[in-house]
Amino acid sequence: MYPKNAWYVAATPDEIADKPLGRQICGEKIVFYRAAQGVAAVEDFCPHRGAPLSLGFVRDGTLVCGYHGLQMGCDGKTVAMPGQRVRGFPCIRSYPAVERYGFIWVWPGDAALADAATIPHLHWAVDEGWAYGGGLYHIGCEYRLMVDNLMDLTHETYVHASSIGQKEIDEAPVTTKTVGDEVITSRFMENVMPPPFWQAALRGNGLPDDVPVDRWQICHFTPPSHVLIEVGVALAGKGGYDAPAGFKASSIVVDFITPETETTHWYFWGMARNFKADDKALTDTIRTGQGKIFSEDRAMLEQQQANILRHPERRLLMLNIDAGGVQSRKVIDRWLAREAPAPAPAPAPAPALAQPQTQAGQVAA
């Protein structure tokens, strides 16, 4: 269902600021905490009595079980326990974890394959000219449905009619291409009126909100399940996507989709923008508006998942607008195929039995 040999966003740093965090990632129960040498992640299972280590606490950079005080090292080995010898305690699993770009990343697969250099570079997270605000939703649907949703923004006209939707989204042609493992879906709309969300963004950048604009949506999927969407509006006739900064309001919609189970996922959403980056009030306003938009997605997707589970025999239809989601699933399937166990070799054929012969050398009947 989901690749495990990959980096997923597991948490934000504030979630482990003062206590451990238990979270299920790709079916793995993991506890995250701040160890002496940085962020750590181990199996959420105390080797003593099986209690969740996430119910414990951190003392001097060491994770302490909240049941009997067992102290756990970030390598999965027991460090100490009051009044007990712990040298023979079995190890629990540890997971590669990295804090980068304002997120905690985890590798739930084969630790020997984890390479922090393969965490995608997020230029907006390290550039002082950009601001970011976001949040986290727990979504009751499988992660690929969210990928489908984000790679086909036609739904904005209907699901988000009061904020970012407009009829021109339906009317504008969509192009989809695949470059290596990246899938890119693009839509451009010229000389349209900005919907309410983008009217507010134009005002936030000191631009008029009641004049025609050129609007764009460029969705980038990269495995295992990241979707970054370039979005924006520019005053009509000023160059659209390539317009000078003084004539547009543009940003990147950030979507990190982390599977929890086969029918649930963690959705880290946000928006990075490169205008009025120092305006914290504007960041809060955009975050509030975006949170409402994504809550509308959550309501739709969870009901979609319920329907699919209710009717597993029904096949979903694929239209031209679904090309981005279809191609993204093909990339996911390739990643899954790499992790599939090699098929067992076919058994060698049994040797033929010698048949009895007569004295004359003829085969007996």
Side-chain angles (χ1 to χ4, degrees), residues 49-68:
R49 299 295 295 170
L53 290 168
S54 56
L55 297 181
F57 57 92
V58 179
R59 182 174 60 209
D60 299 328
T62 299
L63 181 61
V64 181
C65 179
Y67 198 7
H68 296 97

Side-chain angles (χ1 to χ4, degrees), residues 32-92:
F32 299 87
Y33 66 101
R34 289 205 175 278
Q37 64 271 47
V39 64
V42 297
E43 186 180 358
D44 197 7
F45 186 95
C46 178
H48 172 221
R49 299 295 295 170
L53 290 168
S54 56
L55 297 181
F57 57 92
V58 179
R59 182 174 60 209
D60 299 328
T62 299
L63 181 61
V64 181
C65 179
Y67 198 7
H68 296 97
L70 178 144
Q71 299 175 38
M72 179 58 60
C74 59
D75 58 358
K77 296 180 181 179
T78 302
V79 175
M81 188 173 177
Q84 304 295 323
R85 295 180 179 179
V86 298
R87 182 176 299 176
F89 274 36
C91 290
I92 60 172

Side-chain angles (χ1 to χ4, degrees), residues 110-333:
D110 184 349
L113 301 177
D115 180 359
T118 60
I119 294 175
H121 177 64
L122 307 179
H123 67 88
W124 45 265
V126 295
D127 188 333
E128 293 183 355
W130 287 73
Y132 175 81
L136 169 64
Y137 284 152
H138 181 261
I139 311 287
C141 78
E142 68 139 302
Y143 76 104
R144 293 179 301 181
L145 291 180
M146 179 61 84
V147 173
D148 295 343
N149 174 74
L150 295 168
M151 292 301 289
D152 170 26
L153 299 182
T154 307
H155 73 275
E156 289 184 355
T157 302
Y158 309 97
V159 179
H160 311 304
S162 64
S163 55
I164 55 176
Q166 59 187 126
K167 63 181 180 61
E168 288 85 358
I169 296 176
D170 283 356
E171 300 166 353
V174 181
T175 60
T176 300
K177 64 179 180 180
T178 301
V179 181
D181 279 343
E182 181 182 12
V183 181
I184 306 169
T185 297
S186 305
R187 177 186 273 114
F188 298 90
M189 294 155 275
E190 296 183 353
N191 202 39
V192 301
M193 294 304 295
F197 180 89
W198 285 111
Q199 288 178 338
L202 287 165
R203 292 194 299 271
N205 201 24
L207 295 169
D209 66 354
D210 57 352
V211 296
V213 297
D214 297 330
R215 183 180 178 186
W216 59 90
Q217 300 169 326
I218 308 173
C219 309
H220 300 261
F221 166 84
T222 55
S225 52
H226 311 324
V227 180
L228 302 181
I229 310 176
E230 298 179 80
V231 295
V233 294
L235 301 183
K238 299 297 184 179
Y241 177 84
D242 296 314
F247 295 107
K248 66 183 178 182
S250 61
S251 54
I252 298 174
V253 178
V254 177
D255 308 280
F256 292 124
I257 307 155
T258 301
E260 179 190 37
T261 69
E262 292 190 354
T263 56
T264 60
H265 70 269
W266 303 101
Y267 180 34
F268 296 85
W269 55 266
M271 179 172 280
R273 72 178 192 282
N274 60 352
F275 62 92
K276 298 292 182 68
D278 295 330
D279 191 336
K280 294 183 178 179
L282 180 58
T283 299
D284 291 339
T285 298
I286 291 175
R287 181 194 292 112
T288 299
Q290 196 184 25
K292 178 178 181 296
I293 290 169
F294 287 137
S295 70
E296 294 168 342
D297 282 317
R298 176 169 62 178
M300 177 63 74
L301 290 169
E302 289 183 341
Q303 291 300 314
Q304 178 190 14
Q305 179 69 78
N307 251 358
I308 291 172
L309 292 175
R310 193 175 298 118
H311 300 285
E313 77 286 355
R314 296 188 178 182
R315 296 188 61 183
L316 304 184
L317 303 179
M318 299 298 174
L319 307 175
N320 62 332
I321 59 174
D322 300 308
V326 170
Q327 293 303 317
S328 298
R329 288 195 179 217
K330 288 183 178 180
V331 173
I332 293 171
D333 287 344

